[in-house]
Amino acid sequence: LGILVGVSGVFYNWGMLKAQELYRKIPLLKETGRLLIAFLTAGVLGLVMPSVLGSGSGLIASLTKGEMVLGMVVLTLVVKFLFSAVSFGSGAPGGIFFPLLILGALLGAVFAMTGAEFFGLDPVYINNFVLLGMTGFFTAIVRAPLTGIILLFEMSGSISQMLSLSIVSVTAYIVATLMRSEPIYDSLLKRILKADTIVHDK
């Protein structure tokens, strides 16, 4: 799981930054146009797939209660990732903290449900893997393993998860580092500073 969320975290960072670049490559698309795209996308998803909107608390509850089948979780994961890219790339307010936690939860659920369906894993452990997925994905993206461990430890309220949280978090950190993926907030800061420099030079 640590390897999966590590690689996925690297892909997430790449996808979010690439979405920003794609918006900027359209010269006629001003800030209002970018925001309009994000809001229209949210409106369509609100009608056809409302579970991918909002803070994601209801989505996590559905995962932990076993109300979703594997195929639906995979579809939700893909749609949530694409919607996050569309929203974040447009510059719409909202941030990436909650979306990345939800994506991590979905990755953990996909991993555990695949194990339960094809390899005999006891479905009772799906809840554990949801938390592990959130921790590992957060660490791979932000590159803050201790923060990820403490954050999800507080959410679970159980010390029994500490060892597994640590293993997944450290593994994801190592994988993302070996793949030379820069932490997402560092990348965003560099882009902001670069843009400011260009404006001042003009």
Side-chain angles (χ1 to χ4, degrees), residues 60-181:
I60 292 180
S62 297
L63 289 174
T64 56
K65 291 177 182 178
E67 297 174 351
M68 300 176 69
V69 296
L70 178 57
M72 188 61 189
V73 176
V74 172
L75 176 62
T76 304
L77 173 63
V78 173
V79 174
K80 182 69 175 178
F81 174 82
L82 294 175
F83 178 58
S84 295
V86 170
S87 300
F88 179 75
S90 70
I96 61 173
F97 183 74
F98 280 114
L100 71 85
L101 288 180
I102 301 306
L103 288 168
L106 290 167
L107 280 169
V110 168
F111 183 87
M113 292 172 76
T114 301
E117 189 164 334
F118 299 104
F119 302 102
L121 178 71
D122 192 334
V124 74
Y125 293 114
I126 291 177
N127 292 357
N128 295 14
F129 280 97
V130 167
L131 283 173
L132 294 175
M134 294 169 75
T135 306
F137 198 61
F138 173 86
T139 299
I141 292 169
V142 182
R143 211 65 54 76
L146 291 178
T147 303
I149 293 169
I150 293 171
L151 176 66
L152 274 301
F153 166 68
E154 290 181 349
M155 290 178 66
S156 65
S158 173
I159 198 170
S160 63
Q161 292 270 32
M162 185 61 75
L163 178 59
S164 53
L165 286 172
S166 300
I167 292 173
V168 171
S169 184
V170 171
T171 302
Y173 180 91
I174 292 172
V175 169
T177 301
L178 290 176
M179 294 182 71
R180 300 181 179 179
S181 173

Side-chain angles (χ1 to χ4, degrees), residues 9-18 140-141 143 181-184:
V10 171
F11 181 71
Y12 177 89
N13 286 353
W14 175 85
M16 296 304 109
L17 296 176
K18 183 60 66 175
I141 292 169
R143 211 65 54 76
S181 173
E182 192 173 35
I184 185 67

